[in-house]
Amino acid sequence: MEKRPGFKEYDAYFSRYVNLLPDGDIVAILEQQIKETNISLQNLTETQGLFRYSPNKWSVKEIIGHLTDTERILSYTLLCIARGENKELPRYDKDVYVQNAAFDKQTINELLLNLTIVRNATLQLLKSLNPEDWLRQGIANGSEVTVQALASILAGHELHHCNIIKENYFGSDYFPLCRR
């Protein structure tokens, strides 16, 4: 889908993600994005993966896990709406999910593999949609949203967190400089 979703296709809160995206085909953007995310994170040491720039912030590993959980949930939401679901789809509490996931016990490679597998499943789903499916609207997280908006929110959400990793984690004076 080449068209950027209109501001009436999603809750204003999500504009912080959608506005980060370049213009272009969202499927191609998502394909390129997972490659870039893997390149930027695959050589982290386990110590670097556990780094938190502040005691109350997630570790890099927890961010990767959060990206995977969120993609699974948004992809499911996207599927439901694309198939014509009329019921409101629920919110999820990201902090509870991260707290209960034990992402810090997984390796960087395991977390990135999981994220890549989930992304590939999302891409296959998006490629299977008909043009009219992209415009279907449903209710999720308490507001109306279209399928194309969900795909854009998903991509913008990953970009948002990758920017945070670069700025607040890699950019921290305390980020461990150890290498594999």
Side-chain angles (χ1 to χ4, degrees):
M1 176 64 45
E2 293 277 342
K3 183 182 162 234
R4 184 182 288 265
F7 68 93
K8 291 186 178 183
E9 293 184 53
Y10 55 91
D11 187 271
Y13 171 83
F14 296 107
S15 63
R16 68 193 209 145
Y17 301 139
V18 175
N19 292 340
L20 291 174
L21 297 177
D23 290 331
D25 176 17
I26 191 63
V27 172
I29 290 169
L30 286 163
E31 287 173 331
Q32 182 60 34
Q33 185 179 61
I34 194 63
K35 292 174 188 173
E36 292 171 3
T37 297
N38 272 294
I39 288 168
S40 70
L41 301 176
Q42 68 188 359
N43 291 321
L44 292 178
T45 66
E46 296 305 310
T47 299
Q48 290 169 326
L50 294 171
F51 179 74
R52 300 165 192 271
Y53 69 91
S54 180
N56 61 342
K57 296 297 182 182
W58 294 339
S59 70
V60 176
K61 288 182 172 190
E62 288 173 329
I63 293 174
I64 299 168
H66 165 69
L67 289 173
T68 305
D69 281 354
T70 300
E71 179 134 353
R72 276 191 172 102
I73 291 164
L74 288 179
S75 187
Y76 170 75
T77 302
L78 188 149
L79 171 68
C80 291
I81 293 172
R83 300 295 193 252
E85 180 62 66
N86 293 320
K87 295 181 181 126
E88 182 172 350
L89 297 159
R91 298 177 193 271
Y92 85 104
D93 185 330
K94 63 186 186 298
D95 293 312
V96 170
Y97 277 52
V98 169
Q99 180 181 5
N100 290 321
F103 293 127
D104 283 343
K105 293 182 180 177
Q106 298 177 46
T107 68
I108 293 287
N109 288 337
E110 290 168 337
L111 291 163
L112 289 173
L113 178 61
N114 197 6
L115 178 61
T116 301
I117 290 168
V118 171
R119 172 59 55 87
N120 287 334
T122 299
L123 288 166
Q124 288 305 120
L125 171 61
L126 293 173
K127 290 174 182 178
S128 76
L129 298 177
N130 295 313
E132 62 271 13
D133 296 336
W134 288 85
L135 302 175
R136 284 209 176 93
Q137 194 167 38
I139 301 175
N141 295 319
S143 63
E144 292 185 2
V145 64
T146 64
V147 169
Q148 70 180 359
L150 284 165
S152 295
I153 290 165
L154 195 152
H157 176 259
E158 182 173 341
L159 186 55
H160 165 77
H161 282 289
C162 285
N163 288 341
I164 288 173
I165 290 172
K166 287 175 190 162
E167 294 167 15
N168 296 345
Y169 291 77
F170 297 170
S172 170
D173 291 339
Y174 302 103
F175 187 73
L177 295 178
C178 49
R179 297 280 177 226
R180 288 183 183 212

